[in-house]
Amino acid sequence: MSTAMVEARGVRKSFGSTEILKGIDLRVERGSVTCLIGPSGSGKTTFLRCINHLEKVDAGRLYVDENLVGYTERNGRLYEMQERQTARSRLNAGMVFQRFNLFPHMTVLENIVEAPIHVLGRPRNEITAEAQVLLDRVGLGDRGDAYPRELSGGQQQRIAIARALAMKPKLMLFDEPTSALDPELVGEVLDVMKSLAEAGMTMVVVTHELAFAKQVADQVIFMDQGVVVESGPPADVLGNPQHERTKAFLSKVL
């Protein structure tokens, strides 16, 4: 079995006449944490959405758990999957967005059990017990009966993480999960993410939290204008960058 959970080979993506991703090549090893950093508009979020096939790749190959994302390949040609197949493959990757996207009319517990029951067809009593374990894991074991409006932003984001974990994904994708939070609430979300990393969850994180990347990441990838400029261990990319563009970016954010 390949050691890569995610592998991108020459991935390109355009919106209209604007090319956002210009041939991305990278690997994310199983059980590792990869942080994508870079200025706004560099293609980080677009690439993350391509991993989950929320955006379709225009060229290149993108694999998750050795399976081609969004397409099947026959005789060297790509054929787009039907939506049902794509939805099934998407279950391999849980995604946490900048905004929490919780259902406001459902309690915390109902938000977590909704997809496993209706998408996976799992028994309610079984998934409810698992959901309580997840709530305990994110430090909100006593808030199952609360509604999202009764929670802080940090608490809502931790619920969003628990909801993604309830689908038992092989991979977790985080799109700037702390950017919508007040500064004093950032730490509680990052602590949950650190615990996931320690438990061996494969994670790809788009983030501006460079201290988190330095502490938790196995690999940091600096992107700019749709390309990977520099990649490597955080001590190298953040502590001793080689590319002038990386140096210029870090000089403004560190």
Side-chain angles (χ1 to χ4, degrees):
M1 179 179 288
S2 169
T3 59
M5 177 62 77
V6 179
E7 185 170 6
R9 303 176 187 169
V11 168
R12 293 180 177 272
K13 174 65 183 178
S14 297
F15 294 108
S17 61
T18 303
E19 190 173 31
I20 305 299
L21 301 178
K22 304 172 182 177
I24 301 294
D25 294 300
L26 62 83
R27 284 170 59 95
V28 175
E29 302 297 327
R30 297 174 190 273
S32 72
V33 178
T34 293
C35 286
L36 304 180
I37 66 170
S40 297
S42 58
K44 307 181 302 296
T45 291
T46 297
F47 179 69
L48 200 72
R49 290 173 64 86
C50 286
I51 294 175
N52 216 19
H53 202 58
L54 294 173
E55 302 290 352
K56 298 177 183 178
V57 169
D58 294 328
R61 303 285 193 274
L62 185 55
Y63 298 87
V64 171
D65 196 25
E66 300 186 84
N67 295 309
L68 194 59
V69 174
Y71 298 89
T72 56
E73 186 170 2
R74 296 192 296 273
N75 299 321
R77 296 187 62 182
L78 294 183
Y79 298 88
E80 190 170 352
M81 287 182 178
Q82 296 180 351
E83 180 56 36
R84 181 176 296 181
Q85 293 173 294
T86 298
R88 189 179 305 118
S89 66
R90 193 175 287 139
L91 299 178
N92 289 325
M95 191 155 182
V96 178
F97 300 89
Q98 295 179 34
R99 295 291 175 178
F100 327 119
N101 298 330
L102 300 176
F103 296 117
H105 62 289
M106 293 183 178
T107 66
V108 162
L109 193 63
E110 289 168 342
N111 266 279
I112 295 173
V113 304
E114 175 74 8
I117 290 172
H118 294 288
V119 176
L120 300 181
R122 298 188 57 200
R124 179 176 292 274
N125 61 339
E126 181 179 283
I127 190 59
T128 297
E130 291 181 9
Q132 186 59 55
V133 172
L134 289 172
L135 282 173
D136 293 337
R137 186 174 181 180
V138 300
L140 293 168
D142 61 342
R143 303 311 304 271
D145 293 331
Y147 285 88
R149 64 179 178 274
E150 300 172 321
L151 305 178
S152 70
Q155 290 173 326
Q156 290 187 61
Q157 191 63 294
R158 284 187 278 160
I159 297 303
I161 294 172
R163 180 177 61 180
L165 291 172
M167 298 297 284
K168 298 185 180 297
K170 300 176 181 178
L171 167 69
M172 286 287 286
L173 308 173
F174 294 87
D175 184 14
E176 298 190 28
T178 60
S179 65
L181 301 179
D182 293 333
E184 64 268 24
L185 302 178
V186 168
E188 64 189 52
V189 174
L190 294 181
D191 285 344
V192 171
M193 295 171 64
K194 289 174 186 176
S195 71
L196 291 178
E198 291 167 359
M201 173 63 75
T202 309
M203 298 161 57
V204 181
V205 185
V206 173
T207 185
H208 293 295
E209 301 288 343
L210 298 188
F212 171 83
K214 188 173 183 179
Q215 181 180 359
V216 178
D218 299 288
Q219 173 181 221
V220 173
I221 294 174
F222 173 63
M223 293 179 61
D224 187 36
Q225 297 184 1
V227 300
V228 173
V229 176
E230 192 163 347
S231 64
D236 293 345
V237 177
L238 300 178
N240 187 30
Q242 301 301 303
H243 198 284
E244 290 302 319
R245 182 65 188 94
T246 315
K247 294 177 184 177
F249 173 77
L250 292 175
S251 71
K252 296 177 181 178
V253 298
L254 285 178

